[in-house]
Amino acid sequence: MKRFSMAFLAVFVFFAMSSAAGAAEAVKIGLQAPITGQWAYEGQMARQSVEVALQMIAEEGGILGGKEIELVVADDASNPKDSALAAQRLVSQKVAAVIGTYGSSVNEPAADIYEQNKMVDIAYGSTAVKLTMAKERKYFFRTCGRDDAQGQFFAQYAVEVMGAKRIAIMHDNTTFAKGVAEEAKNALKPYIEVGKAELVYYDAIAPGEKDFSPSITKLREAKPDVWYFTGYYPEAGLLVRQGRDAGVTCPFVGGNAAINSDFVKIAGLEYAKGSLLTQEPMPSDLDTPKSKRFLELYRSKHGDIPSSPWPVYAADAAFALAWAIDKAGPADSDAIASVLRNQMEGCTGVTGAIAFTERGDRKGVPYKMYVVDGEGNIVLYKP
């Protein structure tokens, strides 16, 4: 009995030490996301997406000869102040690199902290042009597109496809929303100069408000052919409901943060259906073997696939970091950044090939027009 106990103890100690060694060898990466706050719905989907991506990476053998990736999550609570605190927490935990976050104005203070600490940061839902163009950030990248491309897509689509002449643009003064609105306004100028379009309304609402009656009254009196709102889904849902009740009948087009499943819940299906959306390809339209495996795993764990593209871009950031760290090692941020800029040929994510420009923007992000159908689903718009 004593001999058996000693043998059992030896085996137990062996496996305990092996397990501890394995855990110690795991490479830590951070995820900064809005786990709480007004954008918690997006933040939760981002965490779930990254966890699925890491499971796929582990199933394929891990990185650096079989090591797993351990995820360290920091909640930025959907606001810039907590964003800075979240970034400081991830820096203090010495993660190899960071995925994050949703919202350009939230990302700005964090990106500066990561830059100061020479830590690679791949944003998944931060589209403001200035993040990569206003100043040089050596360690900042993003897997999503930029506001200028979205604004240009809206202007061309509104005039040339929808035939709209009187155009209203509304934003919420956040970095992201104002950026998309400004880019859309600039893209309309050639049409305005030749008399094909007229900007009849351009103004901002205050994010977090519940009653938008004054803004909606002003917009209604402008008699637009199309109403483009570039802010976020909590306000978008209220706006479309209040606008329809006030007699605004023109098509409502949201930017790529305005419409998701929560938008439909907030507005109510009766008001949400028919709303349009300028958007990168939705998860439901991805059909590569890798995207199918990702969506299958995500659905098996969470009952459905992500209802917006941002969580998928978070997963893409995980695949990009795994690729770069596998080539550069986890300890050298300069080497990781160099791989991201120069050695991404062959790297694929859920949305396809991943590569970055010298400034850190992702190459080749397309835009499409989507619509909320009669059952509340967001589907490709086919006029």
Side-chain angles (χ1 to χ4, degrees):
M1 182 67 181
K2 185 176 179 181
R3 183 182 299 172
F4 172 79
S5 298
M6 289 300 292
F8 176 81
L9 179 62
V11 171
F12 174 80
V13 170
F14 171 79
F15 279 109
M17 291 177 66
S18 298
S19 176
E25 291 176 355
V27 175
K28 290 183 180 180
I29 65 169
L31 169 65
Q32 180 184 330
I35 304 301
T36 61
Q38 63 174 335
W39 301 330
Y41 177 70
E42 289 286 353
Q44 295 287 357
M45 288 195 296
R47 177 166 66 178
Q48 293 163 356
S49 291
V50 172
E51 288 171 349
V52 169
L54 297 187
Q55 179 181 338
M56 292 174 65
I57 292 166
E59 288 175 354
E60 293 168 0
I63 61 174
L64 299 169
K67 294 183 180 179
E68 294 189 357
I69 298 176
E70 179 183 341
L71 188 64
V72 181
V73 179
D75 176 18
D76 60 31
S78 314
N79 70 76
K81 181 180 178 182
D82 286 311
S83 172
L85 296 173
Q88 289 165 354
R89 284 199 299 275
L90 290 176
V91 169
S92 68
Q93 293 192 46
K94 302 184 185 304
V95 296
V98 173
I99 301 166
T101 181
Y102 180 82
S104 297
S105 55
V106 176
N107 204 333
E108 276 190 288
D112 288 338
I113 290 171
Y114 296 132
E115 192 73 16
Q116 291 162 6
N117 287 277
K118 297 183 177 180
M119 184 171 283
V120 168
D121 164 28
I122 302 184
Y124 68 87
S126 303
T127 58
V129 175
K130 69 178 185 179
L131 284 170
T132 50
M133 302 307 289
K135 59 183 177 182
E136 183 177 3
R137 286 191 168 99
K138 187 176 179 181
Y139 303 98
F140 180 85
F141 299 82
R142 56 179 147 199
T143 48
C144 56
R146 292 194 339 192
D147 295 344
D148 49 354
Q150 182 178 189
Q152 291 162 12
F153 173 78
F154 165 76
Q156 182 178 12
Y157 198 95
V159 176
E160 297 186 10
V161 179
M162 300 176 73
K165 186 169 184 180
R166 299 175 62 81
I167 295 171
I169 299 176
M170 178 184 284
H171 61 89
D172 66 5
N173 266 327
T174 61
T175 301
F176 159 72
K178 190 174 182 180
V180 177
E182 285 290 306
E183 295 296 342
K185 184 173 73 171
N186 291 335
L188 283 171
K189 286 180 180 176
Y191 296 110
I192 294 172
E193 289 172 359
V194 298
K196 281 190 171 183
E198 182 180 359
L199 188 61
V200 297
Y201 177 97
Y202 187 86
D203 207 347
I205 56 132
E209 291 291 327
K210 301 299 181 186
D211 182 0
F212 299 107
S213 298
S215 296
I216 287 174
T217 299
K218 182 180 175 183
L219 181 137
R220 183 186 62 199
E221 291 173 350
K223 299 179 180 177
D225 296 327
V226 62
W227 170 15
Y228 190 37
F229 176 64
T230 60
Y232 293 87
Y233 60 92
E235 289 79 20
L238 295 174
L239 280 165
V240 74
R241 170 186 282 271
Q242 294 173 21
R244 298 307 186 218
D245 284 343
V248 179
T249 59
C250 67
F252 176 86
V253 182
N256 57 4
I259 295 180
N260 55 22
S261 296
D262 263 18
F263 163 82
V264 178
K265 293 176 184 175
I266 294 167
L269 180 57
E270 178 185 356
Y271 296 90
K273 66 182 179 182
S275 297
L276 299 170
L277 168 67
T278 54
Q279 181 70 75
E280 298 88 342
M282 294 291 285
S284 55
D285 294 322
L286 302 172
D287 60 359
T288 66
K290 195 164 194 171
S291 65
K292 288 179 179 177
R293 175 61 177 156
F294 172 85
L295 295 174
E296 175 188 330
L297 282 174
Y298 193 101
R299 181 181 280 113
S300 70
K301 290 175 176 290
H302 306 295
D304 203 350
I305 63 174
S307 63
S308 81
W310 310 116
V312 176
Y313 286 125
D316 275 359
F319 285 113
L321 282 180
W323 175 276
I325 293 172
D326 189 53
K327 291 184 177 302
D332 188 341
S333 293
D334 288 310
I336 295 171
S338 178
V339 172
L340 291 170
R341 284 193 173 84
N342 305 307
Q343 300 178 50
M344 296 300 285
E345 186 175 353
C347 178
T348 60
V350 182
T351 64
I354 302 175
F356 301 97
T357 67
E358 185 63 26
R359 302 291 293 200
D361 291 312
R362 184 166 180 177
K363 296 179 179 177
V365 180
Y367 282 87
K368 297 180 180 295
M369 188 68 80
Y370 285 84
V371 64
V372 179
D373 70 12
E375 297 180 347
N377 301 309
I378 300 170
V379 299
L380 197 63
Y381 181 53
K382 299 176 181 178

